């Protein structure tokens, strides 16, 4: 086993280390979600924490790590007789992004269950993580149903496996730690809420600290054992402090004043439900125990709020997690006053997760992409373009998007086999049963009726004499299920001069933002291609982060000619590469344009050929017609015909307008198939 990097040797990242240690002191805090850019020691810190955890006493031979002092009465390996336990290091179990449901929760041998009536259960990762740490790297990339199973087990402290009426339950209490890079997509708000704490991490910009990071990492890579030995004293001290804090935790008193501050803070920040209050209370108690105190102070409540509330403040996927620390301090002061012992609580003097010394917030730089007013000239009242930095006279400053709205469902025709999602029909592991087939590999979803039908004709030949059914491997049938998949929604947005009227571009951006919100809710990947002037560009390669797409859309300038053909050909190139990377994920191209094509020789003919190229490959497409004014040329409709897709106006895109858009899109696919 390789020598882990010492936890105490991690440079900086104070909030990350504190959140992990608080969960080590009190696993009831509910785990921690670590958000941050790549290369910020997220995984290193989590793996190093396991070495600090006190050893665990388990029942010898139990695959579920039962505590000999209080064994699980429903343990599949039980019942356990009272006897001395064996000590082992705290388990660190890592859940791969591509794990199956059976790998996570365990698998039942259905063949033995049918033929012998035996519950033959193979434990999964949840069983291995019981009384230890379960680490999920890139938790935002896990399939939704796996995340649901994971968080349900974390909340209930048990895992249930049910297959065709056969069920097994075992204890599954663990410290849940997830890491993610927000650039690759967000977790759903209701899943974010299930993590007790969250921290944002980023690499230091201070040269001295960066030098120290490199120096320590090189020393560790050259001689891991020697490097770990140099930090052994600090590691032992922290390990002992964790043990002491755990012993002190039951004696910590959460007074009425602290409870009032917690409730007032959660109310002031309008968090949903009561989970935030409970997590804050447990975190503040753990903070007091970690500090060696038996009373919870206002500084504990403040720090608990900074760790437990930011991710619960999001109202839509485009909101950045965060907390107004001035408002927090005002709330604590208003409802704080003095402790029961008459001493002023104070605000604490430790650094806050997002601020400088004393937890003071950094200066507010305004919304992302807003920039300095001098660096972002706007069009004047008459709508005349103003040249921005590096832009020509024909370029206009970005227009702000109008308010998003609920859109109609755009889906890809046919039945796919892509990743689980909520957009188009697909054969999936979850959903309604539509048929049966022979299993390919391990049986996961038994089709009981089909299995019985396959086995029934052979019972006399197989010498059946008792009530049980004689089942062979060849009789087993896998259930074929139909659900929904996620897709790649590739936006091809016209940013030329014909779209540059500010009110019009604002409506266009609002429509695209609405479609992005819909893509987020349906678990899609999104990409953004823009075209204007002389060429097209990939403004955002396909990603799971709709936040990144929204940010690129917000800063999109307009002006110049309309190279429609270049935009469609760029979309074709993007899809060609994505088919190689993820062949099962079907694309949906959404072209946002008024249909005009200018610039270069024969721009209209070139655009038609590019559209037919996409149609020939069976790419599902929708053209959002942005043409405005009393005279309408219908060019967007003609483009939709070349794409063998559907045209829809901005007004028709709204969910509460004209019905039947899904049928139109699917009808276009039917015509293409014919």
């Amino acid at each position: 086993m390789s020598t882990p990097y010492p936890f105490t040797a991690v440079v900086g990242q104070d909030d990350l280390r504190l959140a992990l240690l608080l969960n080590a002191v009190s696993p009831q805090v509910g785990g921690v979600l670590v958000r941050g850019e790549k290369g910020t020691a997220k995984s290193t810190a989590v793996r190093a924490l396991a070495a600090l955890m006190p050893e665990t006493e388990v029942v010898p031979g139990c695959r579920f790590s039962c505590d000999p002092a209080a064994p699980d009465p429903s343990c599949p390996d039980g019942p356990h007789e009272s006897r001395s336990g064996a000590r082992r290091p705290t388990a660190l179990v890592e859940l791969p992004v591509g794990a199956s449901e059976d790998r996570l929760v365990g698998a039942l041998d259905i063949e033995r269950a049918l033929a012998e009536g035996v519950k033959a259960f193979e434990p999964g990762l949840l069983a291995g993580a019981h009384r230890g740490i379960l680490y999920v790297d890139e938790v935002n990339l896990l399939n939704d149903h796996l995340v649901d199973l994971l968080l349900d087990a974390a909340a209930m402290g048990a895992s249930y496996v049910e297959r065709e009426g056969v069920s097994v339950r075992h204890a599954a209490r663990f410290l849940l730690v997830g890491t993610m890079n927000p650039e690759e997509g967000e977790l759903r708000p209701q899943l974010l809420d299930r993590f007790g704490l969250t921290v944002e991490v980023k690499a230091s910009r201070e040269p001295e600290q960066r030098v120290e990071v490199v120096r320590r990492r090189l020393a560790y890579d050259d001689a891991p054992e020697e490097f770990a030995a140099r930090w052994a004293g600090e590691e032992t001290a922290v390990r002992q402090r964790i043990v002491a804090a755990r012993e002190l935790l039951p004696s910590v008193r959460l007074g009425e004043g602290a409870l009032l501050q917690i409730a007032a803070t959660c109310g002031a920040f309008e968090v949903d439900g009561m989970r935030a209050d409970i997590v804050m209370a447990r975190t503040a108690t753990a903070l007091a125990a970690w500090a060696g105190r038996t009373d919870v102070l206002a500084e504990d409540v403040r720090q608990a709020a900074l760790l437990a509330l930011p991710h619960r403040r999001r109202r839509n996927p485009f909101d950045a997690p965060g907390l107004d620390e001035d408002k927090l301090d005002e709330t604590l002061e208003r409802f704080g006053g003095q402790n029961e012992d008459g001493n002023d609580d104070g605000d604490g003097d430790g650094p806050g997760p997002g601020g400088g010394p004393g937890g003071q917030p950094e200066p507010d730089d305004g919304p992302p992409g807003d920039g300095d007013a001098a660096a972002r000239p706007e069009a004047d009242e008459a709508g005349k373009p103003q040249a921005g930095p590096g832009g020509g006279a024909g370029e206009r400053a970005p227009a702000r998007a109008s308010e998003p709205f609920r859109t109609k469902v755009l889906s890809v025709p046919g039945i796919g086999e892509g990743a689980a999602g909520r957009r188009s029909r697909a054969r999936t592991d979850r959903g309604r049963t539509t048929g049966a087939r022979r299993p390919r590999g391990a049986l996961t979803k038994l089709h009981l009726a089909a299995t019985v039908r396959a086995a029934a004709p052979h019972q006399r030949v197989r010498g059946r004499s008792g009530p049980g059914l004689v089942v062979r491997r060849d009789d087993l049938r896998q259930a074929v299920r139909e659900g929904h998949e996620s897709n790649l929604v590739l936006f091809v947005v016209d940013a030329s001069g014909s779209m540059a009227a500010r009110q019009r571009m604002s409506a266009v951006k609002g429509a695209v933002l609405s479609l992005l919100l819909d893509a987020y809710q349906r678990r899609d990947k999104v990409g953004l291609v823009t075209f204007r002037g002389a060429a097209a560009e990939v403004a955002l390669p396909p990603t799971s982060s709709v936040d990144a797409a929204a940010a690129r859309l917000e800063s999109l300038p307009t002006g110049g000619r309309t190279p429609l053909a270049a935009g469609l050909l760029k979309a074709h190139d993007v899809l060609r590469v994505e088919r190689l990377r993820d062949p099962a994920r079907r694309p949906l191209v959404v072209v946002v344009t008024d249909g005009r094509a200018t610039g270069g020789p024969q721009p209209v003919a070139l655009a038609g050929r590019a559209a037919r190229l996409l149609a020939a490959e069976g790419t599902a497409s929708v053209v959002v017609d942005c043409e405005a004014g009393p005279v309408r040329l219908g060019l967007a409709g003609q483009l939709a015909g070349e794409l063998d897709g559907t045209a829809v106006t901005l007004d028709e895109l709204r969910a509460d307008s004209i019905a039947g858009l899904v049928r139109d899109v699917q009808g276009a696919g039917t015509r293409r198939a014919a």
Side-chain angles (χ1 to χ4, degrees), residues 131-409:
R131 304 177 67 207
I133 301 172
L134 182 62
Y135 171 46
V136 189
D137 193 16
E138 306 295 352
V139 64
N140 52 323
L141 301 183
L142 272 182
N143 285 334
D144 282 349
H145 71 281
L146 291 183
V147 177
D148 291 338
L149 291 170
L150 178 67
L151 295 180
D152 283 345
M156 296 185 296
S159 175
Y160 294 86
V161 183
E162 297 186 358
R163 297 287 188 274
E164 306 300 334
V166 181
S167 63
V168 172
R169 174 205 173 277
H170 66 82
R173 293 184 295 275
F174 46 82
L175 194 166
L176 176 63
V177 182
T179 59
M180 60 175 284
N181 183 349
E183 294 178 357
E184 297 174 337
E186 288 285 356
L187 280 173
R188 305 198 309 267
Q190 58 267 42
L191 298 184
L192 278 173
D193 185 56
R194 299 293 288 272
F195 282 94
L197 310 180
T198 186
V199 291
E200 297 277 343
V201 296
K202 58 183 178 180
S204 171
R205 300 298 185 257
E206 295 296 328
E208 294 81 4
Q209 195 171 71
R210 296 176 74 93
V211 166
E212 186 61 24
V213 171
V214 175
R215 181 183 293 118
R216 294 186 186 182
R217 187 69 208 192
L218 292 178
Y220 170 76
D221 291 340
D222 290 341
E225 293 82 4
E226 181 180 336
F227 183 82
R230 293 206 302 268
W231 292 89
E234 287 84 349
E235 294 284 286
T236 300
V238 173
R239 189 179 297 108
Q240 292 173 347
R241 188 175 176 185
I242 292 174
V243 173
R246 283 185 171 186
E247 294 174 350
L248 182 62
L249 187 64
S251 303
V252 175
R253 186 171 62 94
L254 184 65
E256 290 297 319
L259 276 173
L260 179 60
Q261 286 184 316
I262 290 171
T265 301
C266 292
F269 286 99
E270 300 178 351
V271 297
D272 296 331
M274 295 298 298
R275 185 175 284 117
D277 303 63
I278 296 170
V279 171
M280 272 190 66
R282 289 173 173 164
T283 305
T285 303
L287 279 162
W290 179 248
R293 290 185 270 100
T294 56
D295 285 306
V296 174
L297 305 181
E299 62 191 68
D300 300 323
V301 176
R302 185 183 194 279
Q303 185 67 59
L306 292 172
L307 292 172
L309 296 188
H311 60 303
R312 295 182 167 91
R313 288 278 298 144
R314 290 172 64 104
R315 287 294 180 265
N316 66 64
F318 309 129
D319 291 339
L323 211 62
D324 184 339
E325 295 191 36
D326 288 336
K327 182 177 180 179
L328 173 61
D329 291 335
E330 291 173 3
T331 304
L332 292 176
E333 183 178 354
R334 178 183 176 189
F335 291 91
Q338 295 181 332
N339 283 327
E340 285 84 345
D341 59 6
N343 295 324
D344 187 82
D345 285 342
D347 287 329
D349 55 4
Q360 293 301 315
E362 298 291 341
D364 186 7
D365 292 324
D370 234 18
D372 187 84
R376 283 194 55 210
E378 297 286 344
D380 61 18
E381 302 238 348
K384 295 179 181 178
Q386 303 292 322
E395 179 176 311
R396 302 193 181 203
R400 289 190 175 277
S402 62
E403 284 297 316
F405 52 85
R406 189 166 65 89
T407 67
K408 290 185 180 296
V409 179

Side-chain angles (χ1 to χ4, degrees), residues 619-642:
T619 304
S621 60
V622 176
V623 178
V624 179
D625 184 359
C626 303
E627 190 174 24
V631 179
R632 303 179 66 86
L633 303 178
L635 298 176
Q638 295 177 23
L639 175 63
E642 299 281 6

Side-chain angles (χ1 to χ4, degrees), residues 518-660:
D518 180 70
Y520 166 80
Q521 294 168 341
R522 299 185 187 281
R523 318 294 181 256
D524 295 316
K525 290 181 70 174
V526 295
L528 178 62
V529 171
T530 63
F531 58 94
R532 68 187 183 95
E537 67 172 348
V538 181
L540 181 70
T543 175
S544 297
S545 176
V546 296
D547 302 58
R552 301 292 173 87
L553 179 70
E554 184 70 22
S555 60
L556 177 66
T558 56
R561 295 182 180 274
T562 311
L564 177 57
L568 297 176
L569 290 174
K570 183 66 71 174
H572 176 268
D573 291 342
V574 171
L575 295 181
R576 177 176 53 81
V577 174
E578 285 301 307
R579 285 191 183 98
L580 296 175
R581 292 176 176 171
D582 190 357
R585 189 183 295 270
R586 297 188 294 163
L588 174 64
V589 175
V590 179
V591 185
V592 185
T593 181
D594 57 9
R596 290 183 172 86
T598 60
Q602 299 182 321
V604 177
L606 285 175
R609 285 204 292 271
R612 290 192 292 275
L613 178 62
L614 285 169
E617 295 185 347
T619 304
S621 60
V622 176
V623 178
V624 179
D625 184 359
C626 303
E627 190 174 24
V631 179
R632 303 179 66 86
L633 303 178
L635 298 176
Q638 295 177 23
L639 175 63
E642 299 281 6
L643 287 166
D644 200 8
T646 300
V648 55
T649 66
L650 290 175
D651 289 338
E652 293 170 344
L653 189 62
R654 294 178 178 271
D656 55 358
S657 62
I658 301 175

Side-chain angles (χ1 to χ4, degrees), residues 1-4 220 225:
M1 180 178 179
S2 60
T3 303
Y220 170 76
E225 293 82 4

Side-chain angles (χ1 to χ4, degrees), residues 422-443:
R422 295 185 175 182
R423 183 171 297 279
S424 305
R425 293 173 59 199
R427 296 183 182 90
T428 61
D429 292 335
R430 300 168 71 86
R432 64 186 183 92
T433 301
T434 59
R437 61 171 173 80
R438 292 181 182 275
R440 302 164 188 163
L443 178 70

